[in-house]
Amino acid sequence: LQRSAALLTIPYEDAALRAIAHRSRRTPRIGNRLLKRVRDFVQVKADGTLIESLAHEALEALEIDARGLDEADRRALRALIEKFKGGPVGLASIAATIAEEIETVEEVIEPFLLQEGFITRTPRGRVATDLAYTHLGFELPAASPQMNIL
């Protein structure tokens, strides 16, 4: 991001770039896209200098939360929790519920949610973890003997 900011001649604070990097899914392409969006936000809202507080404000306006989840990620998790009681459920069902292509769920949404620990993959399908429930503000489900899904 430092290199990209220099190429785009964006004056910045290191903390602002760290905030963007933290929410970019550890993906340079996403980090560069967010940097450009945050730059545009800062040019409209302030003097064009990228500072940490404005970076956070811009990322919130873009609906990217502190853990890097965007609206599509949260829709997938909410569907898993609300419609399928936390799972297990297949990708096709999740994709149909959130009106996304199966490939998008499989190649973009699921890998990040798995990597960050919001879902697990079982032989019977995807299951929301306790982290997903708490992150989205849902009450954790009571453990039941039928929850043996592994």
Side-chain angles (χ1 to χ4, degrees), residues 25 27 29-30 73 91 95 101-115 121 126:
R25 299 176 177 238
T27 306
R29 177 181 45 80
I30 294 173
D73 300 321
L91 284 181
E101 295 289 329
I102 294 172
E103 292 80 17
T104 302
V105 175
E106 184 175 34
E107 296 170 13
V108 178
I109 297 172
E110 182 194 35
F112 183 67
L113 295 178
L114 281 166
Q115 181 180 23
R121 196 183 299 166
R126 280 53 176 183

Side-chain angles (χ1 to χ4, degrees), residues 5-23:
L7 290 172
L8 295 168
T9 62
I10 303 170
Y12 65 89
E13 291 179 349
D14 287 337
L17 292 185
R18 277 194 298 278
I20 295 168
H22 182 74
R23 297 186 193 199

Side-chain angles (χ1 to χ4, degrees), residues 105-136:
V105 175
E106 184 175 34
E107 296 170 13
V108 178
I109 297 172
E110 182 194 35
F112 183 67
L113 295 178
L114 281 166
Q115 181 180 23
E116 293 298 308
F118 288 102
I119 63 173
T120 59
R121 196 183 299 166
T122 71
R124 293 177 50 205
R126 280 53 176 183
V127 177
T129 64
D130 290 352
L131 177 62
Y133 280 87
T134 56
H135 184 72
L136 295 179

Side-chain angles (χ1 to χ4, degrees), residues 3-106:
R3 180 180 180 282
S4 294
L7 290 172
L8 295 168
T9 62
I10 303 170
Y12 65 89
E13 291 179 349
D14 287 337
L17 292 185
R18 277 194 298 278
I20 295 168
H22 182 74
R23 297 186 193 199
S24 68
R25 299 176 177 238
R26 296 179 204 90
T27 306
R29 177 181 45 80
I30 294 173
N32 286 330
R33 180 179 56 84
L34 292 178
L35 176 63
K36 291 175 186 174
R37 299 289 303 273
V38 171
R39 174 205 56 194
D40 296 344
F41 183 90
V42 170
Q43 287 176 341
V44 171
K45 291 279 187 177
D47 66 357
T49 300
L50 184 54
I51 62 173
E52 184 178 17
S53 61
L54 286 173
H56 285 296
E57 187 179 340
L59 292 164
E60 289 299 319
L62 292 169
E63 297 183 357
I64 300 170
D65 68 21
R67 297 290 305 259
L69 274 66
D70 62 16
E71 183 55 32
D73 300 321
R74 288 188 297 275
R75 276 195 339 259
L77 287 175
R78 278 194 300 273
L80 185 55
I81 293 169
E82 293 175 335
K83 305 281 187 208
F84 301 106
K85 299 181 180 161
V89 66
L91 284 181
S93 297
I94 294 171
T97 302
I98 65 171
E100 286 283 354
E101 295 289 329
I102 294 172
E103 292 80 17
T104 302
V105 175
E106 184 175 34

